[in-house]
Amino acid sequence: MTTYWGVDCGSTEIKVVACDDAGRVLHRHRRRTLFPLIEHVRGALAGDGDFENPLVDGGARVAEGHFVTATGYGRGHLDFAQDKLTEIRAHYLGVRHQLGAELPPGQDYAIIDIGGQDSKVITVKTGDVDQFIINRKCAAGTGAFIEELAHRLRIELASLPELERRHDAELTLNSYCTVFAAQEVIKVLMEGQRVENLIHALYRSVVKRVLEMTVVTAPSVVFSGGVLTHHEPLRRMFGEKLPGKRFLLAPEAQFCGAIGAALHGLERARKQAAPPVHPSPSQEKHP
Amino acid sequence: MTARANVKEVMKEYLLDLDQAAQDGRRKVAWCTSVGPAEILRAAGYEVFFPENHGALLGATRMSMDTIPVANAAGYSPDICSYLTSDVGAWMKGITPLTQAYGIKSVPKPDLLVYNTNQCKDVMHWFEFYARELKVPIYGVHSPNHLPEVTAAHEDAVVAQLKGLIALTEQLTGKRFDEEAFRQSLALSKQATDLWAEVLATARARPSPLSFFDATIYMGPIVVLRGTEVARDYYVAQLAELKAKIAAGEAAVPGETKRLYWDGMPVWGRLRSLSDLFKRNHTAVVASTYCNSWIFSDFDAADPLRTMARAYLKIFINRNDAYKERYIADTVREFGIDGVVFLEAKTCPNNSNSQYNLPARLRAKGVRSVVVNGDLCDLRCFSDEQAATVLEAFLETL
């Protein structure tokens, strides 16, 4: 039996899962992305000692019986990883695995993932990724934008959703640029505006930036990734902006990429184990 | 000798000769935009230097990252053409990549500056800087832009301006313009450009013997040596070599499984890493807008002025979107291409063709594409990580 590991090496957090060869998640672990990256990824794979470590030889290689697949922005830096895929496909595989019963192959849907340094809208058609779009280089519409403004406001990230619910006025943050948006925030605060209203405007701005990237035509929308898990007002606002659609939050939204990576490894193993559909030329000649 | 070694030698000899010409009071140097009337300048006795080639060198060597900020600080915006800011910044800083490559101290000082706005208007601002700085004559061919079709009226407008250029060269050199030399120059250009088209067409083979990244190097002579025997002879050799590769089944990308089209500018400072990324993914970039832009099939030495005007008006960048849509869709079909990469260059909107809904219209025709944000020379506008993710994710969908 092989354990299939997925490492989602994001800009903010490293997420790790281990799956068995039926695709069941056996173990999950996450920690802040710190540097040197490879050391912290090794630490994430070792976890808290409550599960097997797939790495041996001081973390230089993967042990027999384990298969490690990497995704996320840091995937190219993990020398020991046996396979790699982009977070676009990884999130799709993770969502499909978790919500397969609700999203049968014939049903088109969109996945919205807001990550630490990018946001993505993935369109799934006829059971596979059809198109995707990633935000441009600036941080607007990403977790980094929310973090930066929370930092400017000296407010804990975790308390933003609760504060947002107490807003009583509609404000608008116009800027694409985090620095300019921070200037807008300071200006509005100097004018005496309540911070709750600013946080509401901040969330609205993120939703607006994401929806500016593409037209979501699919009837269902799946939320994936940590930012959408922890910031309920964003999910509510997407619902308001996209009326008539069905919204689903992936049960382990934060681990979607890592689960997808692990399943990619499992799929690969299954393909390699499967007998060829047609006999190869050599088999034809030498039955 | 390999083709790449050949092209290096051709470019080296060209630049060393230009350097000598600039220091020889008897020889004259003209600067010309890359799709400007070089054949007229050669016939008038000028050696021709192309600042865009210098801009590409600054980008490829990443010296541009030191020179762009100099131009920015002097008042040239970070949002304008980074060929311009790379090159003007290099001039202001007194450096050039030609020094390390060839021992040349400075770009060759011009006696005449000639631009054509068939590419964009930034070339005008660029050459005007040098006209002020060096106090040399400047002549602009102001082309009708973004044309659905090239008509006789459009050609007339350009022919009149080319005649004006000829008159100026006669005045500056004190010699009557040599019509026969012009015909010969254009005839040589025609031979070279037809060969270049054949070179690019070898990428129709599966596997392709040629990738976009090779072609950005091989294209040097068709840009800077049009109108010469050197360019024609180089492409004769280059074509033979590529045909031999096809015969031997030699692939530019071993194990080629996917084939792409590249639209827009190259990212000069990332040619190697992008080439490696595609190779890792067994993907050959087999055709491009950029390299195809130096195919001038309309040249005809029997009617040199008019056919030159026509050819330089018909270039992709100077056409409307309906033309671009047809052109890309046709090329995708002809080369058996699986998808298109649009480079959206921050400082080159004129050659960023994804910005007016073209990807969506191509998709309706069954052409899949992806947009990569970046730039030709300004790596401040390019994220390696994001580009890799976007490109690899696109390849996963094909």
Side-chain angles (χ1 to χ4, degrees):
Chain A
M1 181 180 143
T2 301
T3 305
Y4 294 93
W5 293 78
V7 182
D8 182 358
C9 198
S11 63
T12 310
E13 280 195 337
I14 300 160
K15 283 84 62 178
V16 166
V17 299
C19 293
D20 65 13
D21 47 18
R24 286 182 293 252
V25 177
L26 307 172
H27 165 76
R28 52 187 71 69
H29 181 88
R30 65 188 171 94
R31 62 173 59 187
R32 188 112 190 133
T33 302
L34 295 170
F35 301 92
L37 181 69
I38 197 144
E39 291 307 318
H40 288 273
V41 172
R42 284 182 180 128
L45 282 163
D48 299 322
D50 55 345
F51 197 80
E52 212 176 341
N53 185 346
L55 300 181
V56 290
D57 294 347
R61 67 177 183 89
V62 178
E64 287 292 316
H66 297 270
F67 191 88
V68 175
T69 304
T71 188
Y73 270 91
R75 68 188 180 282
H77 303 284
L78 309 185
D79 296 339
F80 52 76
Q82 290 145 304
D83 202 356
K84 291 164 189 174
L85 78 166
T86 67
E87 48 269 47
I88 304 293
R89 186 153 189 84
H91 274 272
Y92 159 64
L93 292 174
V95 164
R96 188 184 72 179
H97 182 73
Q98 294 178 63
L99 293 171
E102 304 229 28
L103 298 163
Q107 188 177 126
D108 299 344
Y109 58 96
I111 300 168
I112 299 179
D113 166 41
I114 300 181
Q117 67 179 17
D118 67 18
S119 46
K120 316 168 194 76
V121 180
I122 303 165
T123 307
V124 179
K125 272 190 181 170
T126 56
D128 212 337
V129 175
D130 182 55
Q131 287 190 85
F132 63 91
I133 186 131
I134 299 182
N135 67 303
R136 295 155 71 100
K137 288 173 294 295
C138 63
T142 72
F145 185 71
I146 298 172
E147 274 196 29
E148 170 63 19
L149 292 193
H151 174 72
R152 288 281 182 143
L153 295 167
R154 302 285 188 269
I155 294 171
E156 285 293 319
L157 262 179
S159 55
L160 291 180
E162 183 52 37
L163 288 168
E164 189 278 338
R165 284 181 206 110
R166 290 190 238 142
H167 80 276
D168 59 9
E170 294 287 335
L171 299 179
T172 303
L173 289 178
N174 288 311
S175 181
Y176 277 122
C177 166
T178 308
V179 175
F180 283 5
Q183 289 172 358
E184 281 187 83
V185 165
I186 290 163
K187 175 178 171 286
V188 174
L189 284 174
M190 284 194 293
E191 288 167 357
Q193 195 48 259
R194 292 177 66 222
V195 76
E196 290 85 346
N197 293 337
L198 261 172
I199 293 166
H200 176 70
L202 161 67
Y203 280 133
R204 277 208 325 165
S205 160
V206 169
V207 170
K208 200 173 169 195
R209 293 287 96 85
V210 171
L211 292 179
E212 281 165 1
M213 298 197 301
T214 188
V215 179
V216 178
T217 55
S220 300
V221 175
V222 180
F223 296 122
S224 181
V227 174
L228 283 163
T229 305
H230 296 303
H231 298 271
E232 181 278 332
L234 291 172
R235 304 199 302 269
R236 189 189 77 228
M237 289 175 187
F238 276 116
E240 289 163 5
K241 290 284 181 188
L242 298 169
K245 295 197 188 294
R246 181 167 71 126
F247 292 91
L248 300 158
L249 175 63
E252 296 200 71
Q254 207 157 357
F255 286 99
C256 259
I259 292 170
L263 295 172
H264 177 78
L266 174 57
E267 270 187 15
R268 175 182 148 136
R270 282 177 178 161
K271 273 183 198 159
Q272 286 173 347
V277 177
H278 301 291
S280 68
S282 61
Q283 285 171 316
E284 283 173 352
K285 281 179 195 166
H286 309 287
Chain B
M1 188 182 288
T2 67
R4 185 166 289 234
N6 263 334
V7 77
K8 278 188 176 172
E9 197 58 32
V10 166
M11 296 301 283
K12 180 181 174 184
E13 285 179 14
Y14 157 72
L15 288 159
L16 287 173
D17 183 58
L18 260 175
D19 185 44
Q20 282 187 356
Q23 292 167 43
D24 181 343
R26 292 163 299 179
R27 296 172 73 187
K28 300 286 180 200
V29 174
W31 288 11
C32 186
T33 49
S34 64
V35 196
E39 294 84 356
I40 288 178
L41 296 170
R42 290 198 197 287
Y46 289 92
E47 306 302 332
V48 189
F49 176 72
F50 297 84
E52 282 152 87
N53 180 241
H54 194 238
L57 275 173
L58 284 157
T61 56
R62 293 179 284 281
M63 279 176 76
S64 53
M65 298 316 296
D66 293 328
T67 63
I68 291 171
V70 176
N72 294 158
Y76 286 90
S77 163
D79 294 332
I80 64 168
C81 170
S82 63
Y83 270 170
L84 184 165
T85 49
S86 297
D87 180 70
V88 166
W91 177 266
M92 291 172 170
K93 209 171 156 69
I95 59 172
T96 169
L98 301 177
T99 307
Q100 191 176 354
Y102 309 112
I104 295 171
K105 282 184 187 159
S106 163
V107 290
K109 301 265 170 36
D111 299 287
L112 173 62
L113 301 159
V114 179
Y115 63 85
N116 188 341
T117 61
N118 54 352
Q119 292 164 268
C120 64
K121 86 177 182 74
D122 280 34
V123 295
M124 173 184 75
H125 295 293
W126 186 356
F127 279 45
E128 282 176 344
F129 165 80
Y130 285 106
R132 288 191 298 271
E133 180 81 4
L134 301 171
K135 298 181 176 50
V136 291
I138 183 167
Y139 190 89
V141 177
H142 293 260
S143 293
N145 291 128
H146 315 307
L147 305 173
E149 300 295 337
V150 175
T151 66
H154 297 134
E155 290 170 13
D156 289 345
V158 173
V159 166
Q161 295 179 73
L162 295 177
K163 286 179 178 169
L165 173 63
I166 289 170
L168 176 64
T169 61
E170 286 178 329
Q171 183 192 327
L172 293 171
T173 61
K175 291 179 192 162
R176 188 171 173 76
F177 185 67
D178 187 340
E179 299 273 356
E180 188 48 36
F182 178 41
R183 282 181 204 283
Q184 282 177 13
S185 177
L186 201 81
L188 285 167
S189 268
K190 168 69 172 164
Q191 290 170 29
T193 194
D194 286 351
L195 287 160
W196 174 236
E198 283 193 73
V199 162
L200 293 174
T202 61
R204 291 176 194 222
R206 282 179 187 265
S208 171
L210 174 73
S211 84
F212 166 64
F213 301 97
D214 303 324
T216 58
I217 310 300
Y218 298 163
M219 70 190 291
I222 197 63
V223 177
V224 302
L225 284 160
R226 286 198 306 283
T228 70
E229 290 172 354
V230 177
R232 180 198 59 195
D233 295 348
Y234 166 72
Y235 289 113
V236 167
Q238 178 67 81
L239 181 60
E241 188 175 298
L242 287 164
K243 283 183 173 173
K245 282 187 177 179
I246 292 174
E250 198 177 319
V253 173
E256 173 194 303
T257 57
K258 290 175 185 142
R259 295 160 67 86
L260 296 182
Y261 181 99
W262 184 280
D263 180 76
M265 299 298 293
V267 184
W268 287 111
R270 288 291 184 267
L271 287 183
R272 168 66 63 191
S273 62
L274 286 168
S275 171
D276 289 347
L277 181 150
F278 287 117
K279 273 190 181 160
R280 275 200 308 278
N281 288 280
H282 305 291
T283 299
V285 182
V286 295
S288 69
T289 305
Y290 186 70
C291 293
N292 289 6
S293 294
W294 278 267
I295 297 173
F296 305 112
S297 307
D298 287 282
F299 283 167
D300 183 352
D303 189 4
L305 269 186
R306 178 159 295 274
T307 60
M308 171 190 258
R310 184 178 303 153
Y312 288 159
L313 281 167
K314 280 174 82 171
I315 56 174
F316 181 93
I317 196 172
N318 198 40
R319 307 303 293 277
N320 73 344
D321 254 30
Y323 172 88
K324 291 176 180 176
E325 186 180 323
R326 280 196 307 275
Y327 183 91
I328 293 176
D330 289 349
T331 310
V332 161
R333 194 174 53 251
E334 288 164 17
F335 281 73
I337 283 165
D338 301 299
V340 176
V341 176
F342 285 96
L343 181 82
E344 195 169 307
K346 170 76 175 155
T347 74
C348 188
N350 216 35
N351 202 14
S352 294
N353 297 300
S354 56
Q355 295 179 332
Y356 296 90
N357 192 239
L358 184 53
R361 281 181 278 125
L362 282 169
R363 189 174 174 83
K365 290 183 168 177
V367 178
R368 299 171 73 101
S369 66
V370 73
V371 178
V372 175
N373 288 282
D375 195 53
L376 50 160
C377 286
D378 193 344
L379 295 176
R380 297 174 301 187
C381 307
F382 184 76
S383 159
D384 291 291
E385 301 291 350
Q386 193 183 66
T389 294
V390 167
L391 288 168
E392 288 184 350
F394 179 57
L395 295 174
E396 286 170 352
T397 68
L398 294 177

